[in-house]
């Protein structure tokens, strides 16, 4: 069984340009406030590192480690491996995610965090695979809308591999 990775679908240059645009909007929207940026690991680690560097608003950071995927299909069952260490009550929380596919993962996390009464909760996702959505989740900042293909790189994996690619590529398995 071979694994085929396309040439860049989103290049390093396209990604960096878009990250700066999103950061500029976030900086404007949160002017005068302090953000608690919450990265959803592992997938969001690269996007998170890039975007927090260019957001011009004071912030604290924290991470959630979750898993929802068995190979390429979402199970709808979300497991929190490691919860936040910060108390989010009264804070302006910005969730930073790699990709929204069916929406199960973010829907679950969003509800969980809202119960803890943050002052506000917004969601920033690098990729939005809209055609595959099963449950609606309000997305405040979207890097790129992409079609249904399975993608890897820039933090995204297939069985924990390819996360280190600096760009986004389309992944295919062939027999
Ligand atoms: P959802 O619960 O179906 O929205 O899936 C969200 C999670 O599945 C993301 O946080 C990713 O970790 C993973 N995921 C969804 N689509 C892809 C993909 O195309 N490549 C890699 N991971 C993906
Ligand atoms: Mg994943």
């Amino acid at each position: 069984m071979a694994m085929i990775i396309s040439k860049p679908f989103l290049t390093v240059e396209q990604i960096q340009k878009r990250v700066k645009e999103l950061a500029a909007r976030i900086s404007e929207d949160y002017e005068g406030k302090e953000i608690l940026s919450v990265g959803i690991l592992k997938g969001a680690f690269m996007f998170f590192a890039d975007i927090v560097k260019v957001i011009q608003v004071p912030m604290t950071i924290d991470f959630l480690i979750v898993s929802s995927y068995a190979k390429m299909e979402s199970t709808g069952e979300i497991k929190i491996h490691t919860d936040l260490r910060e108390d989010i009550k009264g804070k302006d929380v910005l969730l930073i995610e790699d990709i929204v596919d069916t929406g199960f993962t973010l829907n679950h996390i969003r509800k969980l965090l809202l119960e803890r009464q943050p002052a506000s909760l917004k969601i920033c996702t690098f990729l939005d695979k809209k055609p595959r959505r099963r449950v609606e989740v309000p997305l405040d900042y979207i890097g790129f809308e992409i079609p249904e293909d399975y993608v890897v790189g820039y933090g995204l994996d297939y069985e924990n591999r390819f996360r280190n690619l600096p760009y986004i590529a389309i992944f295919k398995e062939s027999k």
Side-chain angles (χ1 to χ4, degrees):
M1 189 169 60
M3 293 185 250
I4 302 165
I5 305 291
S6 73
K7 63 179 194 296
F9 174 69
L10 295 171
T11 65
V12 171
E13 292 72 25
Q14 283 173 301
I15 293 170
Q16 294 312 318
K17 179 167 176 274
R18 189 65 186 135
V19 166
K20 284 190 191 121
E21 289 168 1
L22 286 179
R25 272 185 48 209
I26 292 167
S27 304
E28 216 178 282
D29 293 353
Y30 284 91
E31 207 191 318
K33 295 186 175 171
E34 186 181 76
I35 305 175
L36 171 55
S37 297
V38 172
I40 304 176
L41 299 180
K42 302 178 214 171
F45 84 96
M46 212 176 271
F47 177 50
F48 185 93
D50 280 352
I51 198 160
V52 296
K53 280 182 277 187
V54 282
I55 294 176
Q56 306 284 330
V57 175
M59 71 167 71
T60 56
I61 67 171
D62 204 353
F63 298 100
L64 264 178
I65 308 181
V66 305
S67 66
S68 56
Y69 252 64
K71 288 206 177 169
M72 289 166 79
E73 276 305 314
S74 188
T75 55
E77 210 177 290
I78 285 75
K79 187 168 186 287
I80 309 273
H81 286 281
T82 308
D83 204 339
L84 298 174
R85 292 182 69 176
E86 305 294 324
D87 182 5
I88 67 168
K89 190 168 181 172
K91 300 202 176 143
D92 291 302
V93 176
L94 180 62
L95 268 177
I96 298 181
E97 172 65 309
D98 56 351
I99 185 167
V100 187
D101 185 35
T102 61
F104 287 136
T105 306
L106 264 184
N107 186 250
H108 180 87
I109 293 171
R110 183 172 169 271
K111 283 187 179 153
L112 184 83
L113 297 190
L114 282 176
E115 283 170 14
R116 301 178 187 175
Q117 301 175 300
S120 68
L121 179 66
K122 285 194 184 186
I123 298 175
C124 173
T125 183
F126 178 60
L127 299 176
D128 181 8
K129 233 194 241 183
K130 227 183 196 159
R132 282 182 43 96
R133 199 63 36 83
R134 300 264 302 277
V135 48
E136 272 324 304
V137 194
L139 303 177
D140 300 282
Y141 307 99
I142 298 167
F144 298 92
E145 284 189 19
I146 62 164
E148 296 196 23
D149 307 276
Y150 196 86
V151 291
V152 295
Y154 198 61
L156 289 106
D157 72 305
Y158 172 76
E159 293 191 323
N160 215 12
R161 297 171 68 193
F162 312 112
R163 293 191 194 274
N164 59 313
L165 290 177
Y167 52 84
I168 292 284
I170 293 170
F171 173 89
K172 288 204 175 73
E173 237 179 16
S174 72
K175 296 202 178 86

